[in-house]
Amino acid sequence: MSSYQSNEIKLINTSLIDPHPDNPRKNIGDVNDLAASIKTNGLLTPLSVVPNGERYRVIAGHRRLAACKQAGIGAVPCFVLQLGPLQQLEAMVTENCQREQLTVLEEADAIQGMLDLGATTASVAHRLGRSGDYVRDRVKAASIKTEVRASRDDFGQISIGQLVAIARYDGQPDRQKELAQAAGTSNFDYILRNIERADRDRQWIESVAALLGEPDSGINLIPDPEKPYSDPEWRCAGCLFPSTGTPEEAIEKIRELNPAAVSIHTVSQQVYLWTRRDKTADAEKEARRAAEQAERDARRHALEEYAAASADKRMAWLHGHLHGVKRDKLVETTARLGLLQIIDPNPQGYTLALSTWNDVACGGEQFTTISGIEPEQALAELHTHLDSPDWPTYAVMILAARIEWFIDPADWTITNDIGRRIPGYYQILQDLGYTPTDDETSHLDQLIAAISEADENEEDEENNQ
């Protein structure tokens, strides 16, 4: 017990000795083995106690006291010390640090208790044989509120470095809890950096706002427009971020850009730059945009009408002519249509049972148009026909229906897998006797030209690599 030691040993009944309420070590742990040893060998090291009225409080030996009581020991030898409250706490902290390994938080709370009793940082550091920074860091950790400590069961096991970082955000329990949850993991530094960056950004925008608010700033500061993308008076000309530089550098940048006005957006930590709208130019731009949109709509509508009309024409021709095509030609066509569909985006669809046909899976509606068989009868009739000598006719119907189902209006203008399939499909139909209209021929020529151009561009890119 160092300078607090006493040479006087007194036998005191364990029933008169209490744990000290300010003992820094909150959990004395399992004392079963110690109790068994004391029961066999007796208490070899006396306890250190202080008087407390007609009773005593332990200064050193809380585990030994608990073990003695568990072992049923009556009287135990004790050093009886005369210590004031601060001396008692100093002695317990020193004892625990030397013998029983306090957690960082237990040590921090004990050091704060010593300071509360009038000790100085220097005296505590001297008593513990530690540096002033060591003591100050633990004082910071001790400031963490109970609400935050309760956010995880093992809060007391957090390292001193992370406890100091958490304590830095005193008065911000949500941030402290977020950091506490991440303590001990690889996410802690990442979360801490994000919080620090958010604080720097907030301080930056507050400083910029203060400079802009000075009467002699010479910059027109306005509130954020209610509709920033369609405000009738202001149009956004850019924005400045904290990465622009110091607040003073940001002000100089604003003066250099000379916008008609600026506004502060505290949520996104940005300074928006505004110019006044040229309503005549805006009206002309809007008129051009409307005209271009109308032209796109007209082209899309025309394409949709063409696609629907050409699909109706193809399927009507198939419906009226397939039964007149020779069997060997139909067998050949079945093979060609099957090969054409190898590039199908969903080739598994061809092997699905006919009962699964629906708007998503196959093209039952197109099959009905081509075959003339009502949907509710299609399954039964196809099972019959596909097992009969005229199976090629119905195989062609199925494969053609699948292709028709896949073709959308947009496929006539883009070089995707389905667009690339259209010219081959038309070639197969023409070999059966189908005659495209001039409109179809024109669209086919445009599609083939687009495919050729895309292939050439792809080849050039490969050669340049």
Side-chain angles (χ1 to χ4, degrees):
M1 290 299 297
S2 181
S3 61
Y4 298 131
Q5 186 63 277
S6 169
N7 293 323
E8 179 188 353
I9 296 180
K10 180 178 180 180
L11 285 175
I12 302 174
N13 196 295
T14 55
S15 63
L16 297 176
I17 306 175
D18 302 313
H20 200 293
D22 295 329
N23 180 29
R25 189 177 177 89
K26 303 306 179 185
N27 182 5
I28 62 172
D30 185 358
V31 295
N32 286 331
D33 291 344
L34 182 58
S37 174
I38 289 174
K39 192 171 186 178
T40 301
N41 304 310
L43 180 63
L44 302 180
T45 304
L47 307 181
S48 294
V49 299
V50 293
N52 181 37
E54 296 181 356
R55 299 180 65 81
Y56 297 87
R57 286 178 173 174
V58 177
I59 294 298
H62 284 82
R63 283 175 51 80
R64 281 170 280 155
L65 174 63
C68 287
K69 289 185 176 182
Q70 183 172 314
I73 305 298
V76 294
C78 299
F79 290 113
V80 181
L81 310 176
Q82 301 298 323
L83 302 175
L86 175 57
Q87 293 174 314
Q88 292 177 31
L89 186 53
E90 286 179 342
M92 286 188 289
V93 172
T94 303
E95 174 72 13
N96 277 289
C97 288
Q98 290 176 349
R99 297 186 180 184
E100 297 180 338
Q101 187 64 46
L102 294 174
T103 68
V104 170
L105 202 56
E106 287 174 338
E107 185 182 13
D109 289 339
I111 288 174
Q112 183 60 58
M114 294 164 67
L115 296 176
D116 291 343
L117 290 171
T120 65
T121 298
S123 66
V124 173
H126 176 74
R127 182 66 187 169
L128 298 180
R130 302 288 189 176
S131 68
D133 286 341
Y134 181 95
V135 173
R136 281 186 286 272
D137 281 347
R138 278 145 185 81
V139 171
K140 293 173 184 175
S143 70
I144 300 173
K145 302 294 189 295
T146 303
E147 173 191 359
V148 178
R149 298 185 185 197
S151 63
R152 55 185 290 176
D153 294 337
D154 60 345
F155 191 90
Q157 303 304 316
I158 297 175
S159 69
I160 183 60
Q162 293 185 339
L163 286 173
V164 169
I166 293 170
R168 191 187 311 159
Y169 296 96
D170 185 34
Q172 303 177 60
D174 289 343
R175 279 184 167 181
Q176 288 187 311
K177 290 176 184 177
E178 182 182 12
L179 287 169
Q181 289 303 313
T185 73
S186 57
N187 283 334
F188 184 86
D189 290 342
Y190 172 77
I191 293 174
L192 180 60
R193 284 196 299 271
N194 284 344
I195 291 175
E196 291 171 341
R197 183 170 55 251
D199 282 349
R200 289 194 300 270
D201 291 351
R202 176 182 52 79
Q203 293 168 3
W204 181 87
I205 200 71
E206 289 175 354
S207 298
V208 171
L211 292 172
L212 288 172
E214 292 179 356
D216 58 349
S217 72
I219 299 173
N220 182 22
L221 179 63
I222 63 171
D224 268 336
E226 293 183 6
K227 299 179 179 179
Y229 299 107
S230 59
D231 188 83
E233 182 177 0
W234 301 106
R235 180 173 59 206
C236 183
C239 53
L240 301 182
F241 304 87
S243 58
T244 302
T246 66
E248 291 74 17
E249 289 171 340
I251 296 299
E252 289 305 313
K253 184 67 173 177
I254 293 171
R255 290 197 173 99
E256 177 186 332
L257 295 172
N258 194 28
V262 299
S263 67
I264 298 291
H265 196 64
T266 55
V267 175
S268 62
Q269 315 292 354
Q270 298 175 27
V271 179
Y272 284 91
L273 312 180
W274 303 97
T275 59
R276 293 191 182 277
R277 285 192 179 276
D278 183 337
K279 295 183 179 180
T280 300
D282 286 348
E284 293 175 353
K285 184 178 179 180
E286 183 59 33
R288 286 195 303 272
R289 184 164 39 240
E292 291 168 357
Q293 184 60 49
E295 184 178 348
R296 287 192 295 270
D297 291 343
R299 286 198 301 268
R300 184 178 65 252
H301 180 68
L303 185 61
E304 289 171 351
E305 287 189 336
Y306 160 75
S310 61
D312 289 343
K313 178 177 179 294
R314 292 190 301 269
M315 289 188 288
W317 185 90
L318 287 167
H319 174 71
H321 291 81
L322 277 185
H323 287 284
V325 178
K326 291 182 179 181
R327 187 176 188 277
D328 59 346
K329 186 65 175 176
L330 290 171
V331 171
E332 176 191 336
T333 301
T334 299
R336 293 177 67 188
L337 287 172
L339 289 172
L340 180 65
Q341 295 187 39
I342 287 175
I343 62 170
D344 186 278
N346 182 23
Q348 183 182 5
Y350 298 115
T351 64
L352 296 176
L354 296 175
S355 58
T356 67
W357 279 25
N358 53 51
D359 288 343
V360 175
C362 297
E365 179 183 342
Q366 287 79 1
F367 176 78
T368 295
T369 302
I370 294 171
S371 67
I373 302 174
E374 294 301 323
E376 59 272 13
Q377 300 171 336
L379 183 60
E381 290 205 24
L382 279 174
H383 276 308
T384 299
H385 288 294
L386 291 176
D387 288 334
S388 67
D390 63 348
W391 67 264
T393 303
Y394 292 90
V396 171
M397 290 180 183
I398 292 172
L399 295 172
R402 284 285 292 164
I403 293 178
E404 293 289 352
W405 176 77
F406 269 114
I407 298 174
D408 287 329
D411 295 324
W412 282 94
T413 60
I414 55 179
T415 57
N416 58 11
D417 283 347
I418 299 171
R420 289 174 178 272
R421 185 188 303 144
I422 291 174
Y425 179 47
Y426 263 85
Q427 185 61 57
I428 294 171
L429 293 181
Q430 287 176 265
D431 289 347
L432 286 176
Y434 179 78
T435 302
T437 63
D438 291 344
D439 201 10
E440 287 176 288
T441 301
S442 174
H443 279 84
L444 278 169
D445 290 344
Q446 293 176 33
L447 180 57
I448 292 170
I451 293 171
S452 298
E453 182 179 356
D455 290 343
E456 290 174 3
N457 290 339
E458 183 177 348
E459 184 177 350
D460 290 342
E461 290 178 3
E462 292 177 353
N463 293 335
N464 292 331
Q465 289 178 353

